[in-house]
Amino acid sequence: MATRRLWRGLGRQFTIGAALGRGKRAYSASQAFAEVLRLPSKQLTKLVFPLQELQRHLVPGSRPDLRLKIFDPTLEDIARAESIFTASSRNHIDYVSSAVRLDHAPDLHFPEVCFIGRSNVGKSSLIKALFSLAPEVDVRVSKKPGHTKKMNFFKVGKYFTLVDMPGYGYRAPEDFVDMVEDYLKERKNLMRTFLLVDSVVGIQKTDNTAIEMCEEFALPYVMVLTKIDKSSKGHLLKQVLQIQKFVDTETQGCFPQLFPVSAVTFSGIHLLRCFIADITGNLKTNGFQFS
Ligand SMILES: Nc1nc2c(ncn2[C@@H]2O[C@H](COP(=O)(O)OP(=O)(O)OP(=O)(O)O)[C@@H](O)[C@H]2O)c(=O)[nH]1
Ligand SMILES: [Mg+2]
């Protein structure tokens, strides 16, 4: 398999600076959407729709190619999605188990989504942010790349499962290729793969390998740009436009809208929760469903 060889070759090429930025939380630690709705509209847009906020800095009409509103839920949709991500006695959000091989993966039949990306790109931090309304769930993050060594399965009520993957590239686990490729190729209930790209450095060589693999397996996947709190607006805009162009011209299976996020400021997290709820068939948005 061509991608298998590529992965192996790229195994240990990258070291990534792992410093946590100096971002501040925009509001209280619960990140509840009810609080977000009380923010002034400019701040709300920045937090909930970071791509639209960035677009304000472009000359109107200069970049019609920037796909902003393909997934365009209402604030009510986002609030409904939030209830799915809120743990309660009736909605159990839990870690299920870990696996190093597909045949050890839990036999769950809910729709599933997974998160892949280079080691240290922020996969576990993103999942932790998505689960901020289920604080009992223990998602381990580390500034040391290569921290997550197994596929970690989490259950979100009766709605869907979510999988935190080990990273590829620097300090990837030895059995990464067999583990992750088999999972991506064979997992029957996998609905969508979220491929995380560091917004500070953009698409790297190992990301290209991951993209090739998603394309080769004809997986529907979505590009999430992480750590957007770390860049200046100008740098972020440049990266977003470059990556958007790449998605438009070089990919078939990638969802055309990018999802910029920050696990520090929570920017983009509410929208991503809503998107996940939607693609797993748990939210009928007004007009369009992306399953
Ligand atoms: N500033 C900033 N730092 C972040 C963000 N997300 C993650 N980080 C930091 O990046 C480092 C790596 O985060 P992880 O979530 O453990 O990364 P990972 O992709 O799960 O890494 P592996 O498990 O090693 O593959 C940690 O120091 C995080 O605090 C973010 O949105 N902003
Ligand atoms: Mg991790």
Side-chain angles (χ1 to χ4, degrees):
M1 176 86 31
T3 50
R4 223 165 249 258
R5 281 196 304 278
L6 273 166
W7 282 116
R8 290 210 162 98
L10 291 169
R12 295 187 189 279
Q13 273 188 2
F14 294 94
T15 35
I16 303 157
L20 188 75
R22 13 165 235 299
K24 293 187 288 272
R25 291 210 191 289
Y27 52 110
S28 96
S30 78
Q31 295 88 31
F33 198 56
E35 284 177 52
V36 177
L37 290 172
R38 288 197 285 270
L39 292 172
S41 84
K42 232 175 166 174
Q43 250 177 289
L44 185 144
T45 304
K46 189 172 172 190
L47 186 64
V48 182
F49 304 107
L51 208 53
Q52 283 178 41
E53 211 278 323
L54 270 181
Q55 191 216 20
R56 286 196 316 111
H57 300 274
L58 290 169
V59 177
S62 66
R63 296 299 299 240
D65 52 335
L66 197 56
R67 312 269 185 266
L68 292 161
K69 294 192 166 194
I70 298 166
F71 177 67
D72 190 21
T74 62
L75 295 175
E76 289 78 32
D77 293 330
I78 295 175
R80 273 195 296 138
E82 175 157 293
S83 64
I84 292 176
F85 277 90
T86 305
S88 70
S89 55
R90 304 230 309 261
N91 189 37
H92 295 280
I93 303 179
D94 297 314
Y95 161 77
V96 179
S97 63
S98 300
V100 288
R101 281 175 25 201
L102 177 61
D103 52 357
H104 294 170
D107 194 17
L108 300 164
H109 299 282
F110 302 110
E112 192 158 282
V113 297
C114 73
F115 294 75
I116 64 169
R118 290 190 304 136
S119 41
N120 215 248
V121 71
K123 300 173 291 299
S124 303
S125 302
L126 175 58
I127 292 169
K128 203 179 170 76
L130 291 170
F131 285 163
S132 68
L133 302 162
E136 307 284 288
V137 183
D138 186 18
V139 187
R140 305 263 165 95
V141 312
S142 168
K143 58 183 177 208
K144 229 167 106 193
H147 186 73
T148 307
K149 296 288 182 206
K150 299 177 177 178
M151 303 187 279
N152 296 323
F153 292 79
F154 299 89
K155 183 168 79 74
V156 179
K158 294 189 172 63
Y159 300 106
F160 52 86
T161 45
L162 195 152
V163 191
D164 186 11
M165 290 287 184
Y168 50 78
Y170 183 67
R171 297 191 72 221
E174 292 281 305
D175 46 0
F176 174 85
V177 177
D178 296 323
M179 178 180 2
V180 176
E181 277 203 19
D182 288 353
Y183 168 86
L184 292 175
K185 213 160 37 168
E186 313 281 345
R187 186 75 166 166
K188 299 263 181 315
N189 52 333
L190 178 62
M191 303 282 290
R192 204 65 48 110
T193 298
F194 289 89
L195 198 160
L196 276 56
V197 170
D198 186 329
S199 68
V200 180
V201 294
I203 297 174
Q204 302 287 297
K205 214 167 171 182
T206 40
D207 296 320
N208 274 313
T209 308
I211 292 164
E212 271 175 41
M213 184 193 57
C214 291
E215 295 284 331
E216 186 178 324
F217 298 165
L219 294 174
Y221 63 105
V222 181
M223 232 177 265
V224 174
L225 313 184
T226 62
K227 308 189 184 185
I228 62 168
D229 57 284
K230 286 180 88 172
S231 295
S232 67
K233 231 169 238 162
H235 181 72
L236 181 61
L237 193 52
K238 188 170 143 229
Q239 293 289 3
V240 165
L241 292 171
Q242 256 174 26
I243 297 169
Q244 180 75 70
K245 193 168 175 195
F246 175 90
V247 168
D248 291 346
T249 55
E250 308 285 329
T251 70
Q252 311 270 337
C254 187
F255 189 68
Q257 183 174 330
L258 305 173
F259 285 83
V261 294
S262 165
V264 172
T265 62
F266 269 72
S267 197
I269 298 295
H270 304 88
L271 187 66
L272 192 59
R273 281 185 188 138
C274 189
F275 186 66
I276 294 169
D278 191 40
I279 56 168
T280 53
N282 289 300
L283 188 85
K284 302 273 178 269
T285 48
N286 298 333
F288 211 117
Q289 196 195 343
F290 298 93
S291 38

